[in-house]
Amino acid sequence: GENVEQHPSTLSVQEGDSAVIKCTYSDSASNYFPWYKQELGKGSQLIIDIRSNVGEKKDQRIAVTLNKTAKHFSLHITETQPEDSAVYFCAASISSNDYKLSFGAGTTVTVRA
Amino acid sequence: DGGITQSPKYLFRKEGQNVTLSCEQNLNHDAMYWYRQDPGQGLRLIYYSQIVNDFQKGDIAEGYSVSREKKESFPLTVTSAQKNPTAFYLCVSSKQGANTEAFFGQGTRLTVV
């Protein structure tokens, strides 16, 4: 099955700096890549996603890039703020395979004030 | 408020006993998933269900069983056949379709004593 690896497992950044989380996937048929943010004591939320026909997508301070050849995708958070502190999960799925999600291990991001 | 609830948060089990972890969601999600996380590893898929009364094995289904009698509920039973059951278990639910928005439970930490 699909194997998604996520790095780093923890990331500490100074407020205002950028944070980058990288994921690789194994199944070249994967074509949908969502990112989720899970905050302590709260539910999770989809923050951004990208499909395999697009190389980059941006939404305000968050951007995701996809390199299909290398089978990796990354989350970029610019101008980090304390409320960005959370656990972030990347995932990959194949739209022709019932959208079964394969998740990375998660990255705990801490933004220092 | 809608959400996904796992219980209990911590669970202790004696060797040789079966134990059932609860996962309930009121988000009207069709798909529900059970993942296992071990230290330093990613989320590994145990079982998933995309519709009531139907479920499929994930990558590490041996020693586990599930049922999906109701759309809202997807309990996971860790049987005595699971050789190394001590782990963190995470339940996830998601919408079906092109925008697979997933919601995470808070997790259950199972310890075999």
Side-chain angles (χ1 to χ4, degrees):
Chain A
E2 172 70 279
N3 181 44
V4 177
E5 294 190 359
Q6 184 172 346
H7 300 280
S9 57
T10 60
L11 181 59
S12 179
V13 297
Q14 189 68 38
E15 182 177 359
D17 288 349
S18 295
V20 180
I21 304 170
K22 298 182 179 181
C23 289
T24 61
Y25 60 98
S26 60
D27 193 333
S28 57
S30 291
N31 56 7
Y32 177 66
F33 307 92
W35 285 89
Y36 297 93
K37 176 182 181 182
Q38 187 174 33
E39 297 179 80
L40 189 63
K42 300 181 181 179
S44 63
Q45 62 177 116
L46 176 70
I47 56 172
I48 197 167
D49 56 12
I50 192 168
R51 300 188 184 281
S52 58
N53 59 347
V54 176
E56 183 175 0
K57 184 176 179 180
K58 190 172 182 180
D59 182 4
Q60 299 182 336
R61 297 186 295 106
I62 295 174
V64 57
T65 59
L66 172 65
N67 183 326
K68 287 170 52 181
T69 303
K71 290 190 282 189
H72 68 70
F73 55 112
S74 300
L75 178 72
H76 304 252
I77 307 173
T78 59
E79 301 172 18
T80 53
Q81 301 168 5
E83 52 264 37
D84 294 329
S85 295
V87 179
Y88 293 82
F89 289 92
C90 65
S93 73
I94 304 170
S95 60
S96 62
N97 187 25
D98 297 328
Y99 296 96
K100 184 180 72 172
L101 290 167
S102 296
F103 287 95
T107 297
T108 301
V109 174
T110 303
V111 179
R112 307 186 305 273
Chain B
D1 289 337
I4 178 169
T5 303
Q6 279 185 249
S7 61
K9 188 173 182 180
Y10 298 97
L11 188 59
F12 295 87
R13 188 196 90 175
K14 292 183 179 180
E15 279 192 44
Q17 287 183 337
N18 292 355
V19 64
T20 298
L21 282 58
S22 169
C23 181
E24 304 276 334
Q25 53 93 4
N26 60 0
L27 300 162
N28 199 32
H29 285 173
D30 290 307
M32 297 185 75
Y33 308 76
W34 274 106
Y35 294 87
R36 168 181 171 143
Q37 186 171 33
D38 295 283
Q41 298 191 36
L43 295 172
R44 293 185 290 168
L45 182 64
I46 304 172
Y47 268 99
Y48 67 105
S49 168
Q50 310 235 300
I51 195 170
V52 176
N53 292 323
D54 188 47
F55 48 83
Q56 285 80 41
K57 292 182 179 180
D59 301 319
I60 54 166
E62 185 175 353
Y64 299 98
S65 66
V66 294
S67 63
R68 189 82 186 278
E69 297 176 1
K70 299 185 301 181
K71 189 175 187 178
E72 301 79 15
S73 180
F74 191 42
L76 173 74
T77 297
V78 184
T79 75
S80 56
Q82 168 50 237
K83 299 304 180 186
N84 185 22
T86 296
F88 182 77
Y89 292 87
L90 189 66
C91 181
V92 178
S93 72
S94 71
K95 296 178 181 178
Q96 287 294 81
N99 295 313
T100 311
E101 182 174 1
F103 285 72
F104 294 69
Q106 296 299 309
T108 295
R109 184 164 299 280
L110 173 64
T111 303
V112 174
V113 297

